[in-house]
Amino acid sequence: MSVKGAQLHEGKSKQIFAVEGDDSHVIMHYKDDATAFNGVKKDTVVDKGEINAAINWHLMNHVSDVTGIPNHLVKALDSRNHLCHKLEIVPVEVVVRNIAAGSCCRRFGREEGEVLPFPMIEFFYKSDPLDDPPISAVHARAFGWAHDWEMAYFEFAAAKVNAAMVDFWSTLGVDLVDFKIEFGRTPEGHLLLADEISPDGCRLWEKGTKRKLDKDVFRRDLGDLSDTYRELYQRIFGHTLAEGSQA
Ligand code: TMP
Ligand code: ASP
């Protein structure tokens, strides 16, 4: 049994805890907090932690099964806590875009909704004080954030993850606009897919209507994020969260 130890880190949507007597794992706890614009906008979203934990567990493991790209998840301890391999997180966020939205439109003056001719893979330096600036392998190499082979692997892995994710969401009537993934290193130097894959770090539009089904609902005050995430949960698992909890 894995017993929660001291808190090692508190992020915007998760807390990371040590595991008592076990230095090679951590416990990832999903909070109900939502933030946007690098923490400038904050709120509590009812059941968000539980919904994201369930979606991440399902989606990340599905993606790993389909692609062979390994991830850090070890065991779902309960509805909000996952036992994970302890990693050194690489401070490079890998973003894949299928449709232009968000910072891609802002930076390049493009229209939201422009379908890209092929997936665009971008890197950002994971730094709240700097607002996650866009980078290339040049910066990762010069500043020691990641080796060239790691950056090459991120691009390869992100393309595979994207293909699996596009298919996954497509069967649920949802277009995958973009998403962000992160990787971490094991003590042996192996790379694992880390952090989470949840609607917090994806843009998801209902097919046909382009209705937003992701954190943009919160960023842009388009409705109740809890209702949006419940709808995604229902689409994925075929039942509501409450029914699932009672089962
Ligand atoms: P962006 O349009 O703001 O660059 O974001 C692209 C996608 O990546 C979007 O789905 C949100 C996600 N993302 C995060 O989850 N966290 C981040 O820090 C960044 C830069 C992007
Ligand atoms: N991930 C960042 C935050 O939570 C930026 C965003 O999602 O808008 O503040």
Side-chain angles (χ1 to χ4, degrees):
M1 203 180 63
S2 304
V3 177
K4 222 178 229 183
Q7 182 177 299
L8 301 175
H9 175 75
E10 173 143 25
K12 292 190 283 276
S13 65
K14 294 187 293 295
Q15 291 161 298
I16 309 294
F17 293 90
V19 182
E20 281 194 0
D22 175 357
D23 204 32
S24 54
H25 295 97
V26 293
I27 293 173
M28 207 162 77
H29 172 94
Y30 295 76
K31 304 190 287 183
D32 282 343
D33 297 350
T35 68
F37 313 117
N38 202 6
V40 170
K41 183 171 166 145
K42 286 186 206 158
D43 208 348
T44 301
V45 176
V46 178
D47 291 335
K48 173 175 169 287
E50 212 167 308
I51 294 170
N52 274 0
I55 292 179
N56 179 51
W57 182 264
H58 183 79
L59 187 50
M60 198 180 256
N61 283 324
H62 169 79
V63 161
S64 288
D65 286 348
V66 171
T67 63
I69 308 286
N71 72 54
H72 67 152
L73 296 172
V74 176
K75 188 177 181 202
L77 300 174
D78 60 35
S79 62
R80 280 179 189 266
N81 291 283
H82 292 163
L83 185 69
C84 301
H85 291 291
K86 187 173 182 175
L87 301 173
E88 178 196 4
I89 294 293
V90 179
V92 173
E93 302 192 340
V94 186
V95 169
V96 186
R97 301 176 195 275
N98 298 300
I99 298 174
S103 76
C104 169
C105 296
R106 254 193 334 273
R107 280 179 284 132
F108 300 109
R110 311 301 296 197
E111 282 292 312
E112 180 177 90
E114 176 181 344
V115 176
L116 302 171
F118 45 82
M120 178 193 278
I121 301 178
E122 294 183 306
F123 302 112
F124 294 82
Y125 176 46
K126 187 175 161 68
S127 164
D128 284 344
L130 298 177
D131 237 345
D132 299 343
I135 60 160
S136 72
V138 169
H139 307 89
R141 182 193 310 141
F143 298 129
W145 297 326
H147 298 291
D148 284 354
W149 75 266
E150 291 178 316
M151 294 298 279
Y153 176 77
F154 297 158
E155 196 162 347
F156 161 83
K160 306 257 281 185
V161 169
N162 182 51
M165 293 259 286
V166 165
D167 282 354
F168 176 87
W169 288 110
S170 186
T171 59
L172 301 175
V174 174
D175 282 327
L176 177 65
V177 174
D178 59 34
F179 65 95
K180 182 259 316 178
I181 49 177
E182 294 181 28
F183 294 86
R185 301 181 187 98
T186 66
E188 298 77 32
H190 299 143
L191 293 171
L192 300 181
L193 196 51
D195 191 54
E196 67 184 295
I197 306 183
S198 77
D200 273 11
C202 301
R203 284 196 175 90
L204 302 163
W205 294 353
E206 184 175 49
K207 277 189 189 295
T209 68
K210 299 190 178 175
R211 184 165 58 94
K212 295 184 189 343
L213 296 171
D214 57 66
K215 209 169 84 174
D216 270 350
V217 169
F218 172 72
R219 290 192 190 95
R220 301 190 189 181
D221 292 321
L222 302 175
D224 183 340
L225 192 65
S226 185
D227 291 344
T228 301
Y229 281 19
R230 275 171 211 286
E231 177 179 340
L232 288 174
Y233 184 99
Q234 164 94 46
R235 283 184 189 237
I236 294 170
F237 298 108
H239 58 75
T240 64
L241 179 67
E243 286 163 9
S245 305
Q246 284 155 14

